[in-house]
Amino acid sequence: MAARIFPVVKLATKVGIAGGAVYVAYDSGLLSGSADGAEALSKAKAVIPPAVEEWSKYFGLELPAAPKIEFSPGDAWNSGVRKSIHALSVAPTVLCEYSSQGMQYVKELFK
């Protein structure tokens, strides 16, 4: 009997954790607009370091200081999107140039 219940309990636990994660993300505003996401990120940056410090003291662990990284995922994302759109916009022209160069190469081979 226990062999049949264990997979169900295991699945229910996984679904509960996943559902809880989605609920917390939705409740904190991560699944709404970018302004709400930025606000939630700033709240997390303010809350997480003191919590980690408290837990490390509780368990008697000494953690190294977190490195300060000044990186904006939004800027990197926008840069990647701009480069992709630029590559798609010049693709017909570049393809035409490569085709004409290929035709010239083939013509020179048959001379």
Side-chain angles (χ1 to χ4, degrees), residues 17-56:
I17 291 172
V22 170
Y23 173 75
V24 168
Y26 179 77
D27 190 45
S28 64
L30 291 175
L31 300 179
S32 56
S34 63
D36 294 334
E39 182 181 334
L41 180 62
S42 66
K43 286 180 185 177
K45 283 183 180 179
V47 171
I48 290 176
V52 170
E53 183 179 334
E54 181 180 333
W55 279 96
S56 65

Side-chain angles (χ1 to χ4, degrees), residues 48-105:
I48 290 176
V52 170
E53 183 179 334
E54 181 180 333
W55 279 96
S56 65
K57 287 179 183 177
Y58 178 75
F59 287 111
L61 300 173
E62 187 173 329
L63 299 175
K68 300 290 182 190
I69 299 174
E70 295 297 326
F71 174 72
S72 174
D75 292 340
W77 169 260
N78 291 338
S79 168
V81 169
R82 276 191 234 112
K83 288 179 182 176
S84 299
I85 296 301
H86 175 71
L88 289 173
S89 69
V90 298
T93 306
V94 172
L95 183 64
C96 183
E97 290 174 9
Y98 287 159
S99 298
S100 65
Q101 289 175 2
M103 289 299 292
Q104 290 296 329
Y105 179 74

